[in-house]
Amino acid sequence: MRKKIAAGNWKMNLTAPEAWSLAENVINAFKGNTKANAQVIFAPPYPYLAKVVEMAAGNDRVLVSAQNLHQAENGAYTGEISASMLTSIGVTHVILGHSERRQYFGESNSLLASKIDKALAHGLVPIYCIGETLEERESGQTLDVNRKQLSEGAFHLDAANFSKLIIAYEPVWAIGTGKTASPAQAQEVHGFIRSLIAEQYGLDVAGQTSILYGGSVKAANAAELFTQPDIDGGLVGGASLIAADFAGIIAAL
Ligand code: PEP
């Protein structure tokens, strides 16, 4: 059975006390959830990772992700963070290819392919983000853009490695804008992504891959999105910063 996941990307938000209180409240709210295949993933800023890992210890369905990593093993890269630093403090996942990294930091599919390789080499689970801009959607390029990002970033992997990935479909026009893709719009792309994975790796791998939707997910729209056949949960920005809101999203898994 594939995993149903609520991942909260805190981005560059929260002071330390706010972060501890958010993590604590969400972990407590998730305690009563008995769905065996449900997972919560926190993606805090780097300075908070070790402490949030400690807070999540003891609940094997609560995991911690970095928001990025550097593709080199180690060395003279001031300000960067390596895969082994992350695993050495108990981080298990890493978000790669978020549209903000693509847009503001110029991250290309080929750079992301090398980051995915580095993450996998260290046993980290990449949460690989893909998604089209508004302009691309309006000019009819949605499926082509998603195909290109998926294939150039991840289809160099063999099936064993690809099956470790989580994919996040995040239409750029829906991120932080309050505009959510309709369940039908999201399902169309999720179904397409799963069909591409099936073509490349077969139905078993496609059926096991969790594909998350991201883009203004809220407690109020989560259930409608998550009940689509190819949507396995959400990668959530804004609403993951408020414990009650994120708990509502988790409940919809
Ligand atoms: C995100 O940053 O991945 C995201 C989906 O943000 P928001 O939920 O705020 O749209």
Side-chain angles (χ1 to χ4, degrees):
M1 202 176 0
R2 58 182 186 253
K3 294 196 176 68
K4 302 290 174 183
I5 299 169
N9 177 10
W10 298 357
K11 307 191 187 184
M12 196 174 74
N13 291 300
L14 306 174
T15 62
E18 288 166 346
W20 318 148
S21 148
L22 174 60
E24 188 181 2
N25 289 331
V26 173
I27 289 168
N28 286 338
F30 187 51
K31 273 185 187 145
N33 183 309
T34 52
K35 288 174 203 145
N37 65 334
Q39 270 189 353
V40 169
I41 302 174
F42 294 118
Y46 291 131
Y48 306 154
L49 283 169
K51 167 93 173 191
V52 176
V53 166
E54 252 176 56
M55 295 176 77
N59 188 335
D60 60 6
R61 295 183 304 144
V62 181
L63 300 155
V64 181
S65 175
Q67 297 176 18
N68 183 29
L69 55 64
H70 194 274
Q71 65 278 15
E73 191 59 33
N74 59 271
Y77 300 101
T78 302
E80 293 294 329
I81 302 283
S82 73
S84 58
M85 292 173 190
L86 298 173
T87 55
S88 71
I89 57 166
V91 170
T92 51
H93 290 63
V94 58
I95 298 173
L96 293 172
H98 192 280
S99 64
E100 288 150 17
R101 302 277 334 158
R102 292 178 187 266
Q103 188 182 344
Y104 305 137
F105 301 95
E107 296 198 358
S108 64
N109 294 329
S110 65
L111 174 72
L112 292 165
S114 63
K115 291 190 177 204
I116 287 175
D117 289 345
K118 186 56 68 177
L120 289 170
H122 286 266
L124 287 163
V125 176
I127 302 171
Y128 180 50
C129 305
I130 59 176
E132 79 288 354
T133 62
L134 185 59
E135 203 185 353
E136 288 163 342
R137 175 164 281 267
E138 287 178 342
S139 58
Q141 297 177 75
T142 296
L143 301 184
D144 287 344
V145 168
N146 282 283
R147 179 195 288 112
K148 187 171 162 67
Q149 291 178 348
L150 184 63
S151 60
E152 291 184 2
F155 278 0
H156 63 289
L157 298 171
D158 61 20
N161 273 312
F162 185 88
S163 50
K164 295 173 185 157
L165 263 56
I166 296 168
I167 306 297
Y169 166 58
E170 299 209 300
V172 180
W173 50 271
I175 296 179
T177 58
K179 285 186 203 153
T180 317
S182 69
Q185 281 174 321
Q187 169 56 31
E188 183 198 6
V189 183
H190 279 243
F192 175 69
I193 292 168
R194 202 175 301 285
S195 73
L196 293 176
I197 298 171
E199 265 170 38
Q200 184 75 13
Y201 296 108
L203 286 173
D204 276 2
V205 173
Q208 289 301 319
T209 304
S210 295
I211 308 175
L212 312 185
Y213 168 78
S216 300
V217 176
K218 297 181 179 50
N221 59 24
E224 222 192 343
L225 287 160
F226 297 172
T227 46
Q228 298 300 308
D230 290 300
I231 301 184
D232 303 308
L235 176 54
V236 185
S240 75
L241 298 172
I242 298 160
D245 292 358
F246 196 49
I249 292 168
I250 294 168
L253 283 177

